Amino acid sequence: MYIVFFGVPLFVVSLYIAYHTYHSGRNECAVTRCALFYPCTHIPNALSLRSVSSSEMSNIYESAATTLGLFNSPCLTKVELRVACKGISDRDALSKPDPCVVLKMQSHGQWFEVDRSEVIRSSISPVFSKVFTVDYYFEEVQRLRFELHDISNNHNGLKEADFLGAMECTLGQASYFPFYAQIVSQRKLSKALLKHGNTAGKSSITVTAEELSGNDDYVELAFSAKKLDDKDFFSKSDPFLEIFRVNDDGTLSLVHRTETIMNNLNPVWKSFKVSLNTLCSGDQERELKSIVWDWDSNGKHDFIGEFQTTFKEMKLAMEGKQMQWECINPKYQVKKKNYRNSGVVMLTQCKIIKMHSFLDYIMGGCQIQFTVAIDFTASNGDPRNSCSLHYIHPYQPNEYLKALVAVGEICQDYDSDKMFPAFGFGAQIPPDFKLHSLNDKVSHDFAVNFDEDNPECAGIQGVVEAYQNCLPKIQLYGPTNIAPIIQKVANAASEEMHTKEAMEYFILLILTDGVITDMADTREAIVHASHLPMSVIIVGVGNADFSDMQMLDGDDGILRSPKGEPVLRDIVQFVPFHNFKHVSTAVDRRCCWAVGTTTDTVSRLQASPAALAKSVLAEVPNQVVDYYNSKGIKPKCLSDFESTRAFSP
């Protein structure tokens, strides 16, 4: 029995890694990217590898690289990017901007948001505490775009924000684009912000890059203070704390900025987590400088005091020692004869957290439970008409099938039984298009195979066949409600949550052709699901205007329920399929196979399912890790997993 990985024997993958390691000298990230879960126990003893020539090894490498696709750009390392701006123009004479930086990366000629910083209120020269972490590939041109937006006080999204300027650069190699600046090679890059092709006044942006070391552990810290100096005349100080790392060259890097506690000289700040790399570059004796400020609405915060420490000193709190530091104002220390301090800052919590990786959980036996939900509303058009989004073309798959196969083929390799529930919504179903319930005109969560007791299909091929078979038997209708199907999968995920083990994580893929009609209920369902081992991927099919759907993706501000409850974590990824058109890849061949189409028609396919799958699945590993780490659930050891679950042949 060979171990098969994306259709390639695992020993071929191993040879690919070994070959690339030989040429690159670095294999850490390459192994991480390719060591995915495989539902087999071991390589059989009968399998022995003879020595191979360099030409044979090259052929094996090229074959694996072509077949696996994902691995032809092994990650060399991870890079942390810190951002600061200067000289931002005021919106008007009465207020200063509330800036936020959005990091975008170019893929297939389009810009996609990677992450965004916090919003800093009333600041023309913000230093953002958010640290952007990106993978660095030496052999690729990685084009980045830093956009600065002025976020209004009553809205955290970008729709109502004012665009303040942008800067484009490359992360590393720039030999093919000499007009772009490089970050990694310069380590610190400062450029003017551009707005509509022109400089945005005197505003500039500075991006600092730093390679991550090998320690991925986090530390959870919590601080409080007492008897801080009062800096306000008519009320008490509004203190917040900033922690800086002192670099080898004496410069300071902002590590964390706490929230502001209003009108309080004895603040208790919320606990926060930060990686040891970010905190002290893995050097526990590195000096850390902390500053306490009194927040002012005009952005000119008043200095209260400062103190120095190290993480080594902080760790003494883990041994039960009370750690506190006098907050000193150097000017007062010189001027005031009886000056003692400007308050005392106390460390109330210090805990090192072992951060497990996505690979740790997968190798520990965590299975991805993949569920599909397909939009069968009338807006898709009559499936018998060639203009319909559900039209089954004899020679090429429609967009529903392309998206389904592209995402499903990746997810199925993380599920040992390869059985996937498939549901439809927005249609009237047999017999005689009978209503699904007395209170509803249509079904919003019917089994595509019409077996409500067992909606699972055998593999992605089974889902495709069930989809094709059900089309002639249903009446496309409406409205487009997705809250019921989210709730259905959430019910299954809630049962897994009670096990307190990392054994099943649920991914719901929703394919829809338009903006949903139950937005309030959907927001409520997503907020509830954010507490569960679950992610939701929504792919917009067709050419509709999906701008209103972007609010479901937590990247655009913070999604809240109608009652105002925020999501616990960002679990939704929304992508319009038309963003990935005009790029042809090998995944189209797999789509053709799934629907019985010959590969001669591949050249006529326009959309790129591979690019789609890469985009919508990119956040899933972090979502899995964030959920289990936040719950304190460790991955099971492989030996424990083998003793409790049988592997599939």
Side-chain angles (χ1 to χ4, degrees), residues 382-430:
D382 188 339
R384 296 168 294 183
N385 190 315
S386 61
C387 296
S388 171
L389 292 172
H390 281 304
Y391 179 67
I392 303 299
H393 195 283
Y395 301 112
Q396 67 180 30
N398 60 37
E399 290 189 6
Y400 277 98
L401 285 172
K402 287 182 182 180
L404 167 62
V405 173
V407 178
E409 275 206 336
I410 293 178
C411 291
Q412 73 175 355
D413 286 326
Y414 299 85
D415 188 337
S416 61
D417 66 7
K418 304 292 188 294
M419 299 296 292
F420 307 117
F423 298 96
F425 58 92
Q428 293 180 332
I429 62 175

Side-chain angles (χ1 to χ4, degrees), residues 372 374 376 392 397-398 400-406 408-409 420 422 448 457-471 590-596:
V372 181
I374 302 174
F376 288 108
I392 303 299
N398 60 37
Y400 277 98
L401 285 172
K402 287 182 182 180
L404 167 62
V405 173
E409 275 206 336
F420 307 117
V448 174
C457 303
I460 297 304
Q461 176 68 16
V463 177
V464 170
E465 292 173 356
Y467 162 74
Q468 292 177 315
N469 292 335
C470 88
L471 276 173
R590 296 201 291 274
C591 274
C592 291
W593 165 82
V595 297

Side-chain angles (χ1 to χ4, degrees), residues 102 104 110-114 116 155-160 482 512 514-516 519 522-523 526 536 538-542 544-560 567 570-580 615-616 619:
V102 177
K104 294 184 176 181
Q110 296 200 27
W111 294 104
F112 295 94
E113 180 173 337
V114 176
R116 66 177 60 183
H155 194 277
N156 282 328
L158 297 183
K159 286 185 179 179
E160 300 178 12
I482 65 173
T512 180
V515 177
I516 61 176
M519 185 64 76
T522 296
R523 287 163 52 199
I526 291 172
V536 180
I538 305 175
V539 177
V541 176
D545 181 5
F546 293 107
S547 56
D548 289 342
M549 295 285 283
Q550 298 290 348
M551 72 172 296
L552 297 178
D553 192 333
D555 295 337
D556 194 6
I558 299 176
L559 178 68
R560 297 179 183 274
V567 289
D570 181 13
I571 65 167
V572 176
Q573 178 77 345
F574 173 78
V575 175
F577 190 76
H578 60 66
N579 284 356
F580 299 89
S615 176
V616 299
E619 295 184 10

Side-chain angles (χ1 to χ4, degrees), residues 131-237:
V131 177
F132 299 104
T133 303
V134 296
D135 292 333
Y136 169 57
Y137 306 103
F138 173 76
E139 73 279 15
E140 290 186 15
V141 177
Q142 295 173 264
R143 294 170 65 179
L144 307 179
R145 177 179 172 88
F146 295 86
E147 294 182 356
L148 192 66
H149 296 267
D150 180 11
I151 307 295
S152 60
N153 286 319
N154 58 355
H155 194 277
N156 282 328
L158 297 183
K159 286 185 179 179
E160 300 178 12
D162 294 326
F163 176 66
L164 300 176
M167 183 270 285
E168 294 182 14
C169 62
T170 61
L171 182 61
Q173 183 188 64
S175 57
Y176 297 105
F177 298 91
F179 49 88
Y180 281 97
Q182 310 168 62
I183 297 179
V184 171
S185 61
Q186 299 182 24
R187 191 175 181 274
K188 189 174 184 179
L189 173 66
S190 296
K191 290 188 70 179
L193 286 170
L194 299 181
K195 188 175 182 180
H196 308 306
N198 301 315
T199 56
K202 297 182 179 180
S203 58
S204 64
I205 184 170
T206 298
V207 181
T208 305
E210 180 181 7
E211 180 181 356
L212 282 176
S213 60
N215 194 330
D216 293 330
D217 289 346
Y218 274 63
V219 59
E220 184 172 1
L221 302 171
F223 291 89
S224 64
K226 61 182 180 181
K227 298 182 179 179
L228 294 176
D229 284 352
D230 192 351
K231 295 291 184 178
D232 297 333
F233 291 107
F234 302 107
S235 62
K236 297 177 182 179
S237 295

Side-chain angles (χ1 to χ4, degrees), residues 76-375:
L76 285 183
T77 187
K78 290 185 178 291
V79 175
E80 286 187 341
L81 303 177
R82 291 178 169 82
V83 182
C85 298
K86 286 186 178 181
I88 302 174
S89 301
D90 291 359
R91 286 180 297 181
D92 51 58
L94 300 178
S95 62
K96 294 181 179 180
D98 303 323
C100 169
V101 168
V102 177
L103 172 62
K104 294 184 176 181
M105 184 172 290
Q106 194 175 68
S107 176
H108 301 286
Q110 296 200 27
W111 294 104
F112 295 94
E113 180 173 337
V114 176
D115 207 345
R116 66 177 60 183
S117 73
E118 75 278 16
V119 177
I120 298 182
R121 301 298 179 190
S122 302
S123 178
I124 59 174
S125 297
V127 178
F128 297 96
S129 62
K130 170 69 177 181
V131 177
F132 299 104
T133 303
V134 296
D135 292 333
Y136 169 57
Y137 306 103
F138 173 76
E139 73 279 15
E140 290 186 15
V141 177
Q142 295 173 264
R143 294 170 65 179
L144 307 179
R145 177 179 172 88
F146 295 86
E147 294 182 356
L148 192 66
H149 296 267
D150 180 11
I151 307 295
S152 60
N153 286 319
N154 58 355
H155 194 277
N156 282 328
L158 297 183
K159 286 185 179 179
E160 300 178 12
D162 294 326
F163 176 66
L164 300 176
M167 183 270 285
E168 294 182 14
C169 62
T170 61
L171 182 61
Q173 183 188 64
S175 57
Y176 297 105
F177 298 91
F179 49 88
Y180 281 97
Q182 310 168 62
I183 297 179
V184 171
S185 61
Q186 299 182 24
R187 191 175 181 274
K188 189 174 184 179
L189 173 66
S190 296
K191 290 188 70 179
L193 286 170
L194 299 181
K195 188 175 182 180
H196 308 306
N198 301 315
T199 56
K202 297 182 179 180
S203 58
S204 64
I205 184 170
T206 298
V207 181
T208 305
E210 180 181 7
E211 180 181 356
L212 282 176
S213 60
N215 194 330
D216 293 330
D217 289 346
Y218 274 63
V219 59
E220 184 172 1
L221 302 171
F223 291 89
S224 64
K226 61 182 180 181
K227 298 182 179 179
L228 294 176
D229 284 352
D230 192 351
K231 295 291 184 178
D232 297 333
F233 291 107
F234 302 107
S235 62
K236 297 177 182 179
S237 295
D238 308 315
F240 67 92
L241 173 68
E242 289 184 328
I243 301 174
F244 296 87
R245 183 189 68 210
V246 180
N247 300 315
D248 294 337
D249 59 1
T251 59
L252 301 178
S253 294
L254 179 62
V255 171
H256 181 76
R257 180 186 292 117
T258 69
E259 76 281 9
T260 299
I261 305 296
M262 304 300 290
N263 195 32
N264 196 326
L265 301 182
N266 301 291
V268 178
W269 291 291
K270 294 179 181 178
S271 64
F272 61 92
K273 297 176 183 177
V274 62
S275 71
L276 287 178
N277 283 315
T278 300
L279 180 64
C280 59
S281 299
D283 178 7
Q284 298 190 11
E285 296 185 353
R286 182 178 294 275
E287 183 179 347
L288 304 174
K289 182 175 182 177
S290 299
I291 303 176
V292 181
W293 300 91
D294 170 33
W295 180 85
D296 283 334
S297 59
N298 61 6
K300 297 180 180 179
H301 311 307
D302 298 319
F303 177 79
I304 294 180
E306 63 185 22
F307 62 92
Q308 284 77 32
T309 184
T310 64
F311 180 61
K312 182 178 180 180
E313 187 177 33
M314 289 182 179
K315 282 178 60 179
L316 296 176
M318 298 173 62
E319 302 173 4
K321 184 176 180 180
Q322 184 178 11
M323 299 304 302
Q324 61 182 38
W325 300 268
E326 290 187 328
C327 195
I328 302 298
N329 186 324
K331 290 184 179 179
Y332 290 176
Q333 201 172 32
V334 173
K335 293 181 180 180
K336 295 184 178 181
K337 187 175 182 179
N338 297 323
Y339 176 78
R340 293 185 58 187
N341 58 55
S342 295
V344 176
V345 176
M346 296 155 289
L347 178 62
T348 57
Q349 181 179 353
C350 180
K351 181 171 63 175
I352 296 178
I353 303 172
K354 173 65 178 177
M355 297 300 290
H356 300 284
S357 69
F358 177 64
L359 182 59
D360 291 334
Y361 287 104
I362 293 301
M363 293 300 291
C366 183
Q367 300 277 290
I368 298 298
Q369 299 297 330
F370 181 61
T371 302
V372 181
I374 302 174
D375 184 340

Side-chain angles (χ1 to χ4, degrees), residues 477-491:
Y477 211 79
T480 309
N481 293 348
I482 65 173
I485 191 63
I486 295 176
Q487 293 165 353
K488 180 183 284 286
V489 177
N491 290 338

